[in-house]
Amino acid sequence: MAEHNVIPEKPKVTTDNYEAVHSKSAAFYPEYERKADLKHQTHYCPGCGHGVVHKLIAEALEDLGVQDQTILVSPVGWPVFAYYYFDVGNVQVAHGRAPAAATGLKRACPDKIVIAYQGDGDLAAIGTAEIIHAANRGEKITVFFVNNAIYGMTGGQMAPTTLVGQKSTTSPWGRRPVNEGFPVHVAELLSSLQAPVYIERVALSDNKNIMKARRAVRKALELQRDGAGFTFVEILSPCPTIWGKDPIEARKWVAEQMIPNFPLNVFRDRRVEIPNTIVPPEKTVEEVIGKDEDAGGVAPRRHHHFRELGIKIAGFGGQGVLLLGQLLAEMGMREGLEVSWLPSYGPEMRSGSAHCHVCLSKDRIGSPLLSRPHILIALNEISLRKFASEVAPGGFILYGRERLPEDLSLPQAQVVCVPAPEIADKLGLAKVANIVMMGALLEETECLSPATAMSVLEAKVKNPTLLELDRKALDAGRLYIDHTVAVGAVTQADGFAQ
Ligand SMILES: Cc1ncc(C[n+]2csc(CCOP(=O)(O)OP(=O)(O)O)c2C)c(N)n1
Ligand code: SF4
């Protein structure tokens, strides 16, 4: 991203025939990445309001000199393509969640300009809760709400803002209040709240109104730059394609149909002082809630031979995949590391596939999601085949079977096979196979201490018989590595552990 703290002089574009007076805002990328046959066009249809709104925002960012401080949050819907155009920090989020993501970003980085750019399907349907609560908390973000009265991207289903009588694929007879309710007036709804500082509705119906929209966009961003509070601009916007109109008719439809239903207005324009009654805590959390006796105190910090270790554990539901991850994260925490645990599993709790990511780090963790884990613990063959190639070169794979499948070659990683189910069966309880794997992991990699493992198990497992089995399973996993793997009896020719 280029430096833009000072308003740059735009380079003049001159040819033999003309000198360009207007040129593309520097807040846009010089070139938009598009497939070869689409290079001459943007994602948006001719006459679409999104292109105009993009332009208004980009010009405002450039003129205010805040391009380098800006984070644009774009959710599902046409707004999600914004990252192809704006040369700012871009974050894509799930449907409706932009105000929540923007809240987190702004709180973590209060000096940034954080923008949520949302459609009406996104903001006023699936994201209703997020926008209302972000506005109600007075988050210091700016929301640009592009209201085209329809779900554009998915081909024209009814939106909460669809007009009474307006046809859509899901209201083919036209919206009927008795069945589908009345259109939701978001700007009015938000202006019933105390915290917002600026709420305006504008329209892209003609040049005069576009200039008003331009001023509103700027004003919202200026207010955010000056630390004011929650700012919101609703923009009535044409969607010629789904409305089945040409661009000129679509603009007319905004003027003649949308504006009477959604009156243009400044609904809120005042500074709000939200009383800050937060006083710094006088006591530590431990002093307030007491020491967690179950935790057995914090284990002494030990030397770790890694700065950051990403572990992926995979298998099927019922194998203790997620629990193994939780235990490792808890152990890391007790050893003074930053930790994260990110589970992923299907709707079925048993027999469906399940995996989790565990990060252990000496530094703050940027993302709990691991695209290149250092270690894979695969508890079944399906997971091994699915995830082995993700392991970082030089990484380690712990496979919970006696040997690798004949046809599988894993040259990039060290592989150790441990027949955990058989070991657990011999101990008398199949479900401690995950603890056998934990023992093997600790012995082979020395990433965490077995003593910490026992202290965590003692805190979590209340049944003494089960705890004893866990202790045996942990030892069995460690011994297997020491006695069996060390003599090369089970690791595979493909791995370089032998
Ligand atoms: C969780 C989830 N539900 C539904 C969808 C399907 N979906 C994609 S875009 C969209 C509607 C977008 O409409 P709007 O927010 O009005 O934006 P527009 O495309 O009109 O600009 C929907 C429902 C999805 N991607 N994710
Ligand atoms: S379908 Fe509508 S909202 Fe989507 S790009 Fe085309 S005109 Fe714009």
Side-chain angles (χ1 to χ4, degrees), residues 43-51 78 146 148 150-153 155 237-243:
H43 288 86
Y44 311 113
C45 311
C48 173
H50 280 302
W78 285 107
V146 181
N148 57 18
I150 205 85
Y151 285 18
M153 179 170 262
S237 175
C239 170
T241 303
I242 302 289
W243 294 353

Side-chain angles (χ1 to χ4, degrees), residues 230-430:
F230 182 83
T231 51
F232 181 90
V233 182
E234 175 172 342
I235 304 154
L236 305 182
S237 175
C239 170
T241 303
I242 302 289
W243 294 353
K245 302 185 189 306
D246 71 32
I248 295 170
E249 283 171 0
R251 275 198 180 187
K252 254 176 101 182
W253 199 80
V254 173
E256 290 169 7
Q257 300 298 326
M258 288 190 82
I259 295 178
N261 277 284
F262 295 105
L264 306 188
N265 196 8
V266 179
F267 295 91
R268 175 70 56 82
D269 187 5
R270 59 160 166 74
R271 293 286 183 132
V272 188
E273 281 310 319
I274 302 179
N276 181 358
T277 50
I278 299 176
V279 282
E282 287 165 9
K283 293 180 176 176
T284 63
V285 174
E286 201 172 73
E287 282 166 340
V288 175
I289 62 171
K291 202 164 165 178
D292 181 0
E293 293 305 329
D294 278 351
V298 178
R301 280 165 191 253
R302 57 188 290 278
H303 171 75
H304 296 101
H305 58 74
F306 55 84
R307 263 225 92 68
E308 192 182 40
L309 191 68
I311 306 173
K312 183 163 191 162
I313 308 165
F316 54 75
Q319 286 188 305
V321 171
L322 306 185
L323 177 65
L324 179 52
Q326 281 174 329
L327 294 172
L328 291 173
E330 174 84 30
M331 288 161 60
M333 209 153 47
R334 288 188 184 208
E335 293 192 6
L337 293 166
E338 299 279 337
V339 302
S340 65
W341 171 75
L342 186 73
S344 171
Y345 49 90
E348 62 283 50
M349 293 302 282
R350 301 216 151 249
S351 309
S353 72
H355 68 256
C356 66
H357 296 174
V358 176
C359 297
L360 306 172
S361 175
K362 289 181 181 162
D363 307 308
R364 286 178 71 184
I365 293 167
S367 165
L369 190 70
L370 298 169
S371 48
R372 288 308 238 167
H374 304 105
I375 296 176
L376 170 68
I377 304 178
L379 297 180
N380 61 17
E381 188 180 328
I382 297 175
S383 311
L384 178 75
R385 288 187 185 276
K386 192 162 170 199
F387 298 122
S389 60
E390 289 182 6
V391 174
F396 172 59
I397 297 175
L398 188 61
Y399 178 43
R401 293 286 181 274
E402 197 172 1
R403 60 189 71 254
L404 283 178
E406 293 285 323
D407 61 329
L408 195 65
S409 165
L410 304 170
Q412 101 277 20
Q414 177 185 347
V415 185
V416 168
C417 299
V418 175
E422 288 82 350
I423 297 174
D425 274 346
K426 277 191 198 145
L427 291 172
L429 189 64

